[in-house]
Amino acid sequence: MTRHFLRDDDLTCLEQREVLELGLALKKDRLALRPLAGPKAVAVLFDKQSTRTRVSFAVGVAELGGYPLIIDAAGSQTGRGESVADTARVLTRQCSAIVWRTYAQSDIEEMAAVATVPVINALTDEFHPCQVLADLMTLAEARGGIGGLKGAKLAYLGDGANNMAHSYLLGCAIAGMEVVVATPPSHMPDPTVVGTARELAIENGGAVEVTADPLVAVRGAHAVASDTWVSMGMEGEAAERELPFVPYQVTQELMDQAAPGAIFLHCLPAYRGKEVTSEVIDGPASRVWDEAENRLHAQKALLAWLLERS
């Protein structure tokens, strides 16, 4: 059976832990595993712009012994309307895995339904599961290991309806954490995702809360996370979109309400003076550069894990 990673809950609590433990091991010895030696190719498709995802997957595939085949939509037939299914049928016969950064979650699900090799969601409009794996790895490092995730509290402030909020809800619930999303009432997360996260939290000993109060969210949190208020493709609506989020800016005053030693996370790119102040993102609580590096290690672990089980 081919295993895919299309959303955070494609891994169980135990499986998520295995991937994170492997990520920590690969961070210590980056060339310890070579499942793609040959080199075997991994197709890495980009329908959206990228820095961290492009670099981390390209470097990661190479370090696993493989060849990263980077494909931009503008330079492929997908940009001219070739169906997802037909693209999948071609790639799956020549590549060992497919990584896709795209728009609709339904498209990557269609890709996985046809592909006979692992398909990895490198970001869709609904979920960003690879980023949350890296975030959990970063928090685990700050708390002395993967066991430190159980019972830890993560507060996310900002757009509750975006892919980061959805993936935090699922990923943290699977890890047995307390996750709180603070967002304006006009930008609440998908209720179906919230419902699934609550079921996962009950199963794994965590808790899920959605609130409009940023103080409630950050109080006692071990990690405070934010994201840009204006996602890709929404730049023309920036002024209108930013206004409801002003009370959710992560300031030092808010961070002072978190637990002692709390860390700040951001998937980047960050906009200082918008969703976070310079004092916080450039201050001692910030772990954003560790977090960005950990995309490499977490994704390598995920790729190796999926290949072994497929």
Side-chain angles (χ1 to χ4, degrees):
M1 174 184 174
T2 303
R3 292 294 300 268
H4 306 294
F5 189 57
L6 310 183
R7 43 187 277 170
D8 308 77
D9 53 350
D10 282 337
L11 297 178
T12 66
C13 181
L14 177 59
E15 290 172 340
Q16 182 194 73
R17 186 185 181 104
E18 289 174 352
V19 171
L20 292 174
E21 292 278 16
L22 182 56
L24 289 172
L26 288 174
K27 187 170 184 176
K28 293 178 180 177
D29 185 356
R30 288 174 58 160
L31 302 180
L33 287 178
R34 307 281 284 176
L36 294 170
K40 299 175 183 177
V42 172
V44 190
L45 284 64
F46 290 97
D47 293 345
K48 291 187 174 186
Q49 292 176 325
S50 169
T51 298
R52 279 149 292 278
T53 299
R54 185 182 295 261
V55 172
S56 58
F57 269 112
V59 173
V61 169
E63 290 190 353
L64 291 174
Y67 171 72
L69 179 63
I70 308 296
I71 305 172
D72 290 308
S76 71
Q77 295 296 340
T78 57
R80 297 182 59 219
E82 183 173 44
S83 73
V84 171
D86 285 355
T87 300
R89 291 183 180 102
V90 172
L91 294 177
T92 199
R93 287 170 177 244
Q94 302 184 51
C95 300
S96 295
I98 301 168
V99 178
W100 196 9
R101 183 181 180 96
T102 189
Y103 294 90
Q105 182 72 16
S106 58
D107 283 347
I108 202 165
E109 289 172 355
E110 183 181 352
M111 176 81 75
V114 175
T116 57
V117 298
V119 175
I120 295 175
N121 179 355
L123 177 145
T124 63
D125 289 343
E126 294 181 49
F127 300 102
H128 199 354
C130 287
Q131 179 64 57
V132 168
L133 282 179
D135 290 10
L136 293 176
M137 183 175 162
T138 307
L139 180 56
E141 288 178 316
R143 290 181 60 78
I146 303 301
L149 293 177
K150 191 82 169 179
K153 178 179 178 180
L154 182 142
Y156 167 80
L157 279 63
D159 186 352
N162 75 4
N163 49 18
M164 284 305 302
H166 291 156
S167 277
Y168 276 131
L169 285 164
L170 295 179
C172 293
I174 291 165
M177 294 170 55
E178 178 183 357
V179 55
V180 185
V181 171
T183 189
S186 56
H187 291 78
M188 290 290 177
D190 184 331
T192 303
V193 174
V194 176
T196 300
R198 287 191 168 131
E199 292 173 3
L200 290 166
I202 291 170
E203 179 182 335
N204 297 303
V208 168
E209 183 178 355
V210 179
T211 179
D213 189 339
L215 277 173
V216 168
V218 302
R219 194 168 291 128
H222 302 97
V224 177
S226 187
D227 188 16
T228 177
W229 293 339
V230 182
S231 297
M232 281 182 288
M234 299 180 177
E235 290 81 3
E237 310 166 25
E240 179 183 345
R241 280 190 58 83
E242 289 173 357
L243 190 59
F245 298 121
V246 172
Y248 300 88
Q249 182 187 68
V250 180
T251 63
Q252 188 58 53
E253 289 74 23
L254 267 181
M255 288 296 299
D256 289 342
Q257 300 301 311
I263 64 172
F264 174 73
L265 299 172
H266 194 301
C267 65
L268 304 175
Y271 299 92
R272 291 162 175 80
K274 300 286 187 178
E275 69 270 13
V276 61
T277 63
S278 297
E279 184 181 16
V280 172
I281 195 170
D282 298 319
S286 179
R287 294 293 184 276
V288 299
W289 312 119
D290 294 335
E291 179 187 6
E293 178 192 343
N294 285 341
R295 286 289 301 277
L296 169 65
H297 311 302
Q299 289 164 184
K300 283 174 63 180
L302 175 67
L303 257 172
W305 191 93
L306 290 171
L307 289 166
E308 182 182 347
R309 283 153 184 79
S310 298

